[in-house]
Amino acid sequence: MNALRGAIVVVIALVIAVVILARGLDEPETTNVPAETTDTTEASTQPADTSPPPPDTEAPDDPPPPADTAPAPAPAPASEEVELPPAAPEEMFDDPPPPPPPTRSPDQVRVLVANGTDTCGAAGRLATALSAQGFNVLPAVNADISAEISAVYYVEEYGADAGIVASKIQVDLSQVLPMPASPPTAPGDAHVVVHIGADDLAQPNC
């Protein structure tokens, strides 16, 4: 009885072994077959689908442009005064001063010296000094009119020359004046008349 059971167990074991072996022969070998690789290069070089969307697909509406949120400048208070830039100085728009009139050489300027004081020899002394500086000096005379302040008078077109004469004898330029209708003495053919007054110009010479 035990021998029969042992034989049955052996037979069952053989059947199981045959079944397992048959299944192993039916399955394909996968260990030696290389795995199929996917050609990604070809896929990546495929052109993108740029075809338009289907007619029934609606494109989304464009978003509205952003609103201008910059704040408007606040108006200046009515009571606040707006400071204006300083005006350009007037001298910027003035015409340039005219050039000084030409002067003549001293020997072309005839000068007459008239003594308007009681100082003896004042006109002769001054005439000698101007002659030494090259001026064409006429004989000195006594003025018909006395004066407190010395002055230098000139005929037309000799104003610049009279200024030079005044600078030589230290008479202020404010006292260089056109020849008056009533001169201190008859000028004759003199271009410049020096009228000696009772100031520093009246120096005695006798």
Side-chain angles (χ1 to χ4, degrees):
M1 188 69 177
N2 291 331
L4 179 60
R5 289 181 178 178
I8 294 173
V9 171
V10 171
V11 172
I12 293 173
L14 289 177
V15 172
I16 293 174
V18 171
V19 172
I20 293 174
L21 181 63
R23 289 184 178 180
L25 293 177
D26 291 338
E27 292 179 1
E29 296 183 0
T30 60
T31 57
N32 296 329
V33 179
E36 183 178 358
T37 59
T38 304
D39 190 355
T40 59
T41 304
E42 181 179 359
S44 62
T45 57
Q46 292 296 327
D49 186 9
T50 58
S51 59
D56 56 349
T57 303
E58 294 183 0
D61 296 336
D62 294 336
D68 187 4
T69 58
S79 60
E80 182 179 355
E81 295 183 359
V82 178
E83 183 178 357
L84 299 177
E90 295 182 359
E91 53 267 20
M92 292 181 60
F93 304 99
D94 292 342
D95 294 333
T103 58
R104 300 162 181 83
S105 60
D107 61 336
Q108 294 179 335
V109 181
R110 292 189 294 271
V111 181
L112 175 61
V113 181
N115 187 0
T117 70
D118 296 333
T119 303
C120 178
R125 184 193 63 83
L126 190 58
T128 301
L130 289 173
S131 180
Q133 303 218 12
F135 291 97
N136 186 359
V137 181
L138 303 176
V141 298
N142 290 322
D144 300 330
I145 305 172
S146 61
E148 294 296 327
I149 300 175
S150 300
V152 178
Y153 300 102
Y154 60 89
V155 298
E156 189 176 359
E157 298 181 358
Y158 280 81
D161 303 292
I164 293 178
V165 172
S167 66
K168 297 294 184 181
I169 60 178
Q170 297 183 356
V171 172
D172 192 272
L173 292 180
S174 63
Q175 297 300 312
V176 178
L177 306 167
M179 192 71 69
S182 299
T185 187
D189 58 355
H191 302 129
V192 176
V193 174
V194 178
H195 189 197
I196 298 176
D199 49 22
D200 294 340
L201 196 59
Q203 298 294 326
N205 190 34
C206 58

